[in-house]
């Protein structure tokens, strides 16, 4: 491995150096696995001076990477008066800080919603089984108590939020990649991809603006209307606002009024498409369920984004959840009367086998709708990308 040192100014604040193999690919692929019992998506990093392995929950909207560092030597803490700290926290220092006061950051557990305080540290990080090692990567060391509720064995969160010290910003500057990343979720495996390599599937994407809310690290897009089987739901213009995209919500949630209209329209269209359809009692936490035998065709759901010309189409494999061999349910949930300003949260099940490209430079979201309609899948894309990366590293 050859050693290169890059002095890169990140937002005029952050300086990093990088050790890279000679044959580094023009992309970085992080494999994802779905945790069976929680439906969270996990990726692996190695961190600290001993490059300890850590499985992390992928949270699209979390602002940074945080890890329980208790099992490894403590990395170098960042002082609260440093420019790295002031770029990460709004009020990093107490009124009269000591000379070595650490930079404290609030951390949120995406599974429980619980909060704890972590310390910003400067650590060694490697991605994908030690392929590349960054020797000055900013992350937060978290107390062990905040891991409660995360998948067994996981050690923290891999945040993809649009922040200055988020992994995406750091990777793009260190590796001189465009400031964007792609995400492909699957029930088997998936990937996060950063860099320059883009296959044919990217050329068929639709694009919609990302809503820019100052101080908000989450990813939101406009929602103008919803259609079921090409019929618009009877909702006032003021009822709909935006969609929040989430990798930690297993299933999509809608505000109560919107959910009720969706359910009514979906049941009506499902009965019209399936003459022998049998409605069965709620199951698995879902309100609308049917007998599998009579459910042959699923109504198509269209999310109309910034205009009628741009729509996210949800087919049956993303809208329906098979409970068992006899019951299938509509995989949307009633989110109550308040979803923190959003009309809808688009959850993991609805995202699976949809290729997403988050371009932070242009503030645009590219989306493929279902790859299965293109005779592909996130699992296939991930396997192909990993094979290409391995080939580049061995050449």
């Amino acid at each position: 491995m050859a050693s290169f040192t890059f002095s890169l100014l990140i937002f005029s604040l952050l300086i990093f150096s990088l050790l890279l193999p000679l044959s580094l690919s023009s992309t970085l692929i992080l494999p994802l696995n779905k945790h069976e019992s929680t439906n969270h998506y996990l990726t692996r990093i190695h961190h600290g001076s001993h490059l300890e392995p850590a499985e992390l929950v992928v949270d699209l909207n979390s602002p940074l990477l945080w890890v329980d560092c208790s099992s490894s030597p403590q990395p170098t803490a960042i002082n609260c008066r440093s420019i790295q700290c002031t770029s990460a926290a709004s009020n990093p220092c107490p009124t009269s800080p000591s000379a070595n006061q650490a930079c404290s950051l609030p951390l949120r557990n995406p599974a429980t919603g619980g909060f704890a305080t972590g310390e910003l540290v400067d650590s060694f990080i490697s991605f994908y089984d030690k392929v590349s090692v960054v020797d000055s990567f900013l992350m937060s060391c978290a107390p062990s108590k905040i891991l409660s509720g995360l998948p067994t064995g996981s050690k923290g969160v891999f945040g993809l939020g649009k922040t200055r010290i988020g992994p995406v910003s750091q990777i793009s500057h260190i590796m001189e990649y465009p400031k964007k990343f792609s995400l492909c979720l699957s029930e088997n495996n998936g990937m996060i991809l950063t860099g320059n390599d883009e296959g044919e599937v990217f050329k068929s994407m639709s694009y919609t603006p990302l809503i820019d809310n100052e101080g908000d690290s989450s990813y939101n897009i406009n929602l103008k209307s919803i259609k079921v089987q090409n019929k618009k739901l009877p909702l006032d213009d003021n009822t709909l606002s935006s969609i929040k995209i989430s990798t930690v919500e297993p299933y999509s949630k809608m505000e109560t009024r919107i959910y009720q209209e969706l359910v009514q329209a979906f049941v009506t269209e499902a009965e019209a498409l399936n003459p022998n359809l049998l409605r069965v009692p709620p199951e698995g936490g879902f309100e609308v369920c049917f007998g599998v035998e009579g459910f042959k065709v699923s109504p198509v759901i269209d999310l109309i984004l910034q205009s009628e010309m741009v729509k996210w189409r949800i087919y049956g494999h993303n809208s329906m959840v098979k409970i068992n061999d006899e019951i299938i349910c509509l995989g949307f949930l009633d989110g109550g009367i308040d979803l923190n300003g959003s009309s809808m949260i688009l959850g993991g099940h609805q995202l699976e086998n949809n290729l997403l490209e988050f371009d932070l430079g242009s503030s645009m979201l590219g989306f493929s709708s279902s790859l299965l309609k293109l005779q592909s899948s996130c699992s296939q894309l991930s396997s192909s990308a990993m094979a290409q990366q391995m080939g580049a590293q061995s050449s």
Side-chain angles (χ1 to χ4, degrees), residues 63-93:
L64 76 164
L65 188 159
W66 59 263
V67 183
D68 173 14
C69 306
S70 60
S71 63
S72 58
Q74 186 76 9
T76 304
I78 300 297
N79 189 278
C80 73
R81 292 190 181 278
S82 68
I83 44 182
Q84 294 99 322
C85 186
T86 54
S87 69
S90 55
N91 296 298
C93 281

Side-chain angles (χ1 to χ4, degrees), residues 8-295:
L8 298 175
L9 193 62
I10 298 181
F11 295 97
S12 301
L13 296 173
L14 307 177
I15 297 176
F16 300 95
S17 61
L18 177 66
L19 299 175
L20 293 173
L22 280 171
S23 56
L24 184 68
S25 169
S26 60
T27 60
L28 175 66
I29 300 107
L30 281 72
L32 303 179
N33 293 298
K34 187 175 182 179
H35 190 262
E36 186 175 355
S37 61
T38 65
N39 290 321
H40 286 139
Y41 303 91
L42 303 174
T43 192
R44 171 178 287 196
I45 67 163
H46 293 78
H47 69 97
S49 58
H50 295 170
L51 291 181
E52 296 274 347
E55 297 283 341
L56 305 179
V57 174
V58 175
D59 184 356
L60 182 65
N61 299 303
S62 180
L64 76 164
L65 188 159
W66 59 263
V67 183
D68 173 14
C69 306
S70 60
S71 63
S72 58
Q74 186 76 9
T76 304
I78 300 297
N79 189 278
C80 73
R81 292 190 181 278
S82 68
I83 44 182
Q84 294 99 322
C85 186
T86 54
S87 69
S90 55
N91 296 298
C93 281
T95 304
S96 301
S98 63
N100 297 314
Q101 181 75 43
C103 180
S104 297
L105 297 175
L107 307 178
R108 181 180 181 273
N109 182 316
T112 64
F115 284 88
T117 299
E119 288 187 355
L120 187 66
V121 298
D122 189 343
S123 179
F124 286 92
I125 289 283
S126 74
F127 304 100
Y128 184 55
D129 293 333
K130 307 180 185 179
V131 167
S132 57
V133 181
V134 180
D135 68 3
S136 188
F137 199 91
L138 294 179
M139 67 176 203
S140 180
C141 277
S144 299
K145 64 180 181 180
I146 198 176
L147 298 179
S148 177
L150 295 181
T152 302
S154 61
K155 294 294 185 181
V157 166
F158 193 94
L160 291 168
K162 45 185 178 180
T163 59
R164 294 177 178 179
I165 65 165
V168 174
S169 293
Q170 294 192 63
I171 291 170
S172 66
H173 282 80
I174 291 169
M175 297 187 175
E176 298 184 314
Y177 289 162
K179 195 178 178 183
K180 63 182 179 180
F181 68 97
S182 299
L183 179 69
C184 216
L185 303 180
S186 169
E187 61 182 9
N188 299 315
N189 55 60
M191 66 175 181
I192 303 167
L193 181 149
T194 64
N196 299 297
D197 287 353
E198 295 189 354
E200 288 297 315
V201 68
F202 285 87
K203 298 177 182 179
S204 62
M205 279 185 162
S206 299
Y207 289 87
T208 191
L210 291 166
I211 299 174
D212 187 15
N213 294 322
E214 187 175 354
D216 186 358
S217 65
S218 63
Y219 295 93
N220 300 271
I221 55 177
N222 291 305
L223 177 63
K224 296 298 184 182
S225 63
I226 302 173
K227 295 181 179 180
V228 176
Q229 207 62 16
N230 294 317
K231 298 176 183 176
K232 187 175 178 180
L233 298 187
L235 296 167
D236 299 333
D237 291 341
N238 294 332
T239 303
L240 298 173
S241 58
S242 63
I243 299 171
K244 179 180 179 179
I245 305 171
S246 173
T247 55
V248 295
E249 291 287 353
Y251 303 99
S252 293
K253 295 180 177 179
M254 292 178 163
E255 286 186 341
T256 297
R257 167 73 192 285
I258 302 168
Y259 174 78
Q260 291 172 343
E261 292 291 350
L262 176 75
V263 165
Q264 183 175 333
F266 191 90
V267 171
T268 297
E269 296 300 326
E271 290 174 344
L273 291 170
N274 302 277
N276 298 318
L277 187 64
L278 175 65
R279 183 88 178 263
V280 300
E283 190 74 37
F286 302 105
E287 178 182 335
V288 181
C289 298
F290 307 97
V292 169
E293 187 175 347
F295 192 89

Side-chain angles (χ1 to χ4, degrees), residues 306-353:
Q306 82 266 23
S307 72
E308 289 285 336
M309 299 295 292
V310 183
K311 62 186 177 184
W312 186 315
R313 175 156 284 187
I314 301 176
Y315 296 95
H317 43 263
N318 286 119
S319 63
M320 306 303 294
V321 178
K322 190 174 182 180
I323 304 299
N324 52 45
D325 291 339
E326 298 180 349
I327 298 173
I328 192 168
C329 299
L330 179 63
F332 290 79
L333 302 173
D334 185 344
I337 61 173
D338 183 15
L339 285 176
N340 295 320
S342 298
S343 299
M344 174 181 180
I345 299 174
L346 200 59
H349 183 73
Q350 282 69 42
L351 298 178
E352 288 184 355
N353 290 310

